[in-house]
Every structure is written in structure tokens, then in C-alpha cells.
Amino acid sequence: MKGDGPVPIPPSESVIHLPADHYLHIGAPTEWWWNIGTLKAGDRTFGFEINTAAFYPTAFTQIMLTDVDRNLHFQQTAWYPASNHWAEQDPAKDWFVKLGEVHMRAPQSDPTRNMRVTARMVDEATRTPVAFDLLVSQQGPPFIVWGTGVMPPSPKPTLKDNNFYYSLTRLAASGSISIGGETLEVTGVTWMDHEYGAFGTEEDRPKWILQDMQLSNGVCISNFTLKEPELGKETPSLATVQRADGTTYFVSSSVTPIGATWTSPESKTTYFMQVKVEIPDFAATLLVSSLVDSQEFPIGEASVYEGVAGATGTFEGEEVAGTAWSEQTMRPKKDD
């Protein structure tokens, strides 16, 4: 009924079953576990990503660290042959993901808690060594993307035809990071995505921009559009919104890039440093602002912007703020 507000999606409509779906899915054409977020060491702020992925027959890792206060960004992409042995598939065993210099592991009793995540890389531009040793543990319910965890909607989804997606958005994180020999103790509340199944072919994989938010009112939001927006123009998007108690909604929204842009000197791709997200069902207007401009994995036509951000604005008439993440897969400019 009109005026009653957005309708939550019943948990019974989710196709995600934990802990089993935290494990490797044999037969999925793609699968990845993706750790991102904001870490603090005293008054210093860092953004990070530790990603393992298989787009069979190829696998890769992406590791990055952004030192916000010093305006520094370190990143590395590494490629490997894919196999069925890079992650545990049996829910009766302890969970692990191991690819190259990235290792994630957790006890079988509840692999969404007490996950140890370690990673090492050497920055591709400066040759600076960077290392992570983090313990992350989910607090509260999982975040079922789209409310159901599957796209496109189907009464009988399959790994070959559908995409499956959930996140752990309230990961209490602690541990250390090392940058060029300097070791810092860090804490934070971070985010992990696990996505698997169909994700298009190499020729027709989608382009998108995405904004993840962890707000001060306990709400988590993942907003995205598969349309490539233009500066200053409103573009339709879709938002998964979850309250602190786990109540989840999937609603229409919009994104409008505003303000500054940044053009990568390597890929020549231009990215948006500020994106306004509007979610009418929640009277929400939120500004997601990158904390450092240069946060790109520059890998040619597959270059992607993935970076730490902040969120400010209003939600249901109240002012909110929080940590955020900005991801953009844009088409590079063509030479005239």
C-alpha cells in the first residue's frame, strides 16, 4: 500500500545458505572473495583490498593499500592458472582460500567468524613491499545482496546461468599492516563480498559503478548501476539496504556524479571522485566521496577503480555519516 514505506524481503526468499555457501562452488564459471574497507592506526586512516578471484581458466589476486593521510596508493595484480583446489569446497572441513600471496582461513564451526586474512605484495610502481595480517569476524546477520542473493531472479537458479552474491558487512577487524618495513597495528569494521556463478563472457562482461556504505545509524547499503553515468546527470540505479537487525530491502535509487574527476595517467580512464546516491524510499541523499584520487588497478581495458571513501548525508530525515567504498569500471577514453 502507498505510504507504508518500502517492503522488506523475507529471509525465506534468500537462496544463500551459510555456512555452506561460504565455501568453493565446483562448477561455477566465476567465484571470488573480496575484502575491502577502512582501517585505523591511531589517527591515521587506511583503505585496503585483498581479493582472490577465479574466472576459469584464469585466476588472479588484487591487493591494494591506500595511506589516506600521506596520499599514497600501493597496488598489485597477479595472475595464476585456476583450479578446483585453491579453496575448500567441503563444509565439513575448515574453510580456506589460498591463491598466490593471499591466504584466508577460518574454523569449520563458523567460517564467517574468526577469519585470518594474510597477504603480501610489492607495489608495481614504487616496488614498496606491503603486508597484511588481519583477523576479521562478522558481527550480526549476513548482507544478502538484492535481498535474495541471486540475479536474474529464477525459481531454479544454476551456477552456469545465475549470479549469486552476499556480503559480510560488519566484520570486526584487528591486526597489522606493514608498509616498506613500517608495521602498524590497525582496527576497523570491514566488508567482505563473496560472489560466484555466471558473470558474462570475456566479451560481454558488464561495466558498472558501485557504492558500499556502512552508516552511523547501523544501516549498510550496496548501490550500483550497470549504466555508465555522466558527470552531473542522474542515472537510475538499484540499492540493497539492510538495517542493523538484518531487515533487508531492494529498492530503486539513482546516482549522480558531481564535483571532481580523476583521469588515470596509465589507463587514460576518467573516474568520478564524488557520487550522489538518492534512495527515495528512505528519504536518503548520500554523498560518497573518495578519500584519495588515485586508487586504480591499471590493467588495460580491464582497469578498475576500487577505493576507500566516506559517506555523508541524510537517511529517513536524520543526518548520517560513515565509511564507504567506491568501485568504477569505466571505458577508457579513445584517442582522437
Side-chain angles (χ1 to χ4, degrees):
M1 295 176 60
K2 292 183 178 179
D4 289 342
V7 177
I9 297 177
S12 60
E13 293 190 16
S14 171
V15 303
I16 303 297
H17 303 286
L18 296 175
D21 280 328
H22 205 55
Y23 287 75
L24 182 72
H25 294 79
I26 299 297
T30 69
E31 185 152 16
W32 63 92
W33 289 265
W34 183 51
N35 288 272
I36 59 170
T38 304
L39 296 168
K40 300 285 286 188
D43 58 359
R44 292 176 67 180
T45 300
F46 297 90
F48 82 100
E49 174 172 343
I50 301 172
N51 178 22
T52 61
F55 283 55
Y56 294 92
T58 302
F60 62 91
T61 62
Q62 288 185 311
I63 306 170
M64 82 84 159
L65 180 71
T66 299
D67 186 336
V68 173
D69 302 279
R70 299 183 182 181
N71 196 36
L72 296 173
H73 179 247
F74 308 99
Q75 61 83 27
Q76 181 189 66
T77 299
W79 303 90
Y80 307 90
S83 75
N84 287 331
H85 308 293
W86 66 291
E88 181 56 65
Q89 60 178 293
D90 185 353
K93 297 180 179 179
D94 289 346
W95 174 83
F96 78 87
V97 178
K98 192 174 192 312
L99 188 61
E101 296 293 339
V102 176
H103 193 184
M104 310 176 200
R105 51 204 183 274
Q108 176 270 341
S109 56
D110 184 355
T112 71
R113 298 181 59 83
N114 299 314
M115 288 183 283
R116 189 177 181 193
V117 180
T118 59
R120 298 194 312 173
M121 65 131 170
V122 176
D123 176 58
E124 293 178 359
T126 66
R127 310 310 298 168
T128 302
V130 175
F132 299 83
D133 189 344
L134 302 174
L135 185 67
V136 296
S137 191
Q138 173 70 356
Q139 311 298 304
F143 182 98
I144 307 301
V145 180
W146 313 306
T148 62
V150 64
M151 278 288 177
S154 171
K156 294 183 179 180
T158 69
L159 292 173
K160 294 188 181 299
D161 297 323
N162 301 86
N163 182 254
F164 300 80
Y165 194 174
Y166 69 91
S167 304
L168 304 174
T169 61
R170 299 177 177 88
L171 288 166
S174 62
S176 66
I177 58 175
S178 175
I179 313 168
E182 177 189 20
T183 299
L184 299 162
E185 298 299 313
V186 292
T187 58
V189 179
T190 63
W191 186 302
M192 172 190 269
D193 286 341
H194 184 200
E195 192 167 357
Y196 54 94
F199 198 67
T201 65
E202 188 172 350
E203 292 75 23
D204 67 0
R205 283 187 184 130
K207 296 287 185 179
W208 68 90
I209 72 168
L210 174 145
Q211 309 80 40
D212 290 332
M213 291 168 263
Q214 297 161 304
L215 300 178
S216 51
N217 61 355
V219 169
C220 292
I221 299 171
S222 183
N223 188 78
F224 79 100
T225 180
L226 299 182
K227 303 177 186 296
E228 190 164 319
E230 298 179 39
L231 188 65
K233 293 186 178 180
E234 185 175 1
T235 300
S237 57
L238 294 164
T240 307
V241 179
Q242 186 191 65
R243 298 189 188 277
D245 66 1
T247 306
T248 303
Y249 310 82
F250 185 48
V251 296
S252 297
S253 58
S254 68
V255 292
T256 307
I258 62 175
T261 61
W262 175 74
T263 300
S264 165
E266 296 184 67
S267 71
K268 312 304 180 186
T269 307
T270 296
Y271 302 101
F272 306 117
M273 296 299 96
Q274 290 186 312
V275 178
K276 181 172 67 173
V277 178
E278 296 180 280
I279 312 175
D281 282 343
F282 292 94
T285 300
L286 300 155
L287 185 63
V288 175
S289 303
S290 294
L291 300 186
V292 169
D293 289 351
S294 56
Q295 298 186 90
E296 182 192 48
F297 288 104
I299 44 179
E301 290 289 331
S303 294
V304 58
Y305 186 95
E306 301 192 14
V308 64
T312 57
T314 57
F315 187 95
E316 295 182 326
E318 301 292 332
E319 290 189 4
V320 292
T323 58
W325 190 259
S326 178
E327 183 173 344
Q328 303 176 36
T329 57
M330 310 290 285
R331 291 170 178 82
K333 291 181 177 178
K334 300 296 184 181
D335 294 334
D336 295 333

